[in-house]
């Protein structure tokens, strides 16, 4: 949760923008798999240091999201369409947001957590930037671990 009295200084030094080339991975996840656990497994197996979800469509039967300013997840059961999955991926910590809609078109969204069960499919495309790494460091303005982009050290 962001403290109510937190302020961001407008005179902060601009953050550098780092460019990188991209390669992609495409995968179809199957019925019964946990969406977040499978994404985490891909990140680990492919040793992704800096990546992003480019697109994901599919359906879920269970949806677990950490909503804004909440400590724990909220769970819904039923049938849901994935209408958006976005975020950064890294072995150093991923940050993903999911939006789903129910049969009436009502849309829910929040932080993706374990517990989202795939109903029929999840078609996922991941972009990977091999020249950079995403790391998470505490931001003194809020006290949360936030994204830091670094050039990857050559081996």
């Amino acid at each position: 949760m962001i403290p109510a009295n937190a302020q961001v200084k407008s005179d902060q030094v601009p953050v550098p923008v780092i460019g990188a080339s991209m390669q992609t991975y495409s995968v179809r996840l199957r019925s019964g798999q946990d969406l977040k656990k499978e994404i985490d497994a891909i990140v680990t197996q492919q040793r992704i240091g800096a990546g992003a979800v480019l697109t994901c469509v599919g359906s879920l039967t269970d949806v677990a999201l950490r909503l804004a300013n909440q400590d724990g997840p909220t769970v819904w059961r039923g049938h849901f369409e994935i209408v958006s999955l976005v975020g950064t991926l890294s072995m150093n910590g991923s940050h993903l947001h999911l939006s789903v809609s129910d049969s009436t078109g009502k849309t829910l969204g929040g932080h993706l957590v374990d517990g989202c069960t795939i109903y029929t499919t999840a078609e996922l495309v991941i972009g990977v930037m091999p020249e950079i790494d995403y790391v998470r460091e505490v931001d003194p303005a809020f006290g949360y671990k936030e994204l830091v982009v670094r050039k990857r050290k050559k081996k």
Side-chain angles (χ1 to χ4, degrees):
M1 294 189 295
I2 298 173
N5 61 350
Q7 294 182 5
V8 177
K9 296 178 184 178
S10 61
D11 61 347
Q12 291 178 336
V13 177
V15 294
V17 176
I18 299 175
S21 61
M22 181 184 292
Q23 64 186 46
T24 59
Y25 296 116
S26 300
V27 62
R28 176 182 172 216
L29 303 176
R30 306 280 179 170
S31 178
Q33 292 180 302
D34 183 288
L35 182 60
K36 175 137 185 342
K37 287 180 181 177
E38 294 301 320
I39 292 170
D40 290 344
I42 292 166
V43 169
T44 300
Q45 289 165 1
Q46 299 300 321
R47 303 196 46 76
I48 296 172
V53 174
L54 301 179
T55 191
C56 181
V57 294
S59 58
L60 303 171
T61 55
D62 299 323
V63 174
L65 300 171
R66 187 177 59 76
L67 303 176
N69 222 25
Q70 301 296 312
D71 291 326
T74 302
V75 177
W76 294 267
R77 302 204 190 294
H79 291 94
F80 303 89
E81 291 289 332
I82 298 169
V83 295
S84 176
L85 176 61
V86 298
T88 55
L89 302 169
S90 176
M91 294 179 300
N92 301 307
S94 296
H95 186 177
L96 297 165
H97 289 186
L98 173 70
S99 296
V100 297
S101 63
D102 66 13
S103 62
T104 68
K106 178 181 173 186
T107 303
L108 307 164
H111 287 269
L112 177 66
V113 297
D114 291 353
C116 292
T117 306
I118 296 169
Y119 177 44
T120 59
T121 192
E123 301 166 6
L124 178 65
V125 181
I126 295 172
V128 178
M129 288 72 62
E131 295 101 3
I132 61 176
D133 280 316
Y134 292 161
V135 296
R136 302 249 163 221
E137 294 178 359
V138 175
D139 182 330
F142 295 105
Y144 296 108
K145 287 186 173 184
E146 300 293 355
L147 180 70
V148 176
V149 182
R150 294 202 173 114
K151 287 276 189 185
R152 181 169 283 176
K153 294 178 183 172
K154 296 184 183 197
K155 296 179 180 182

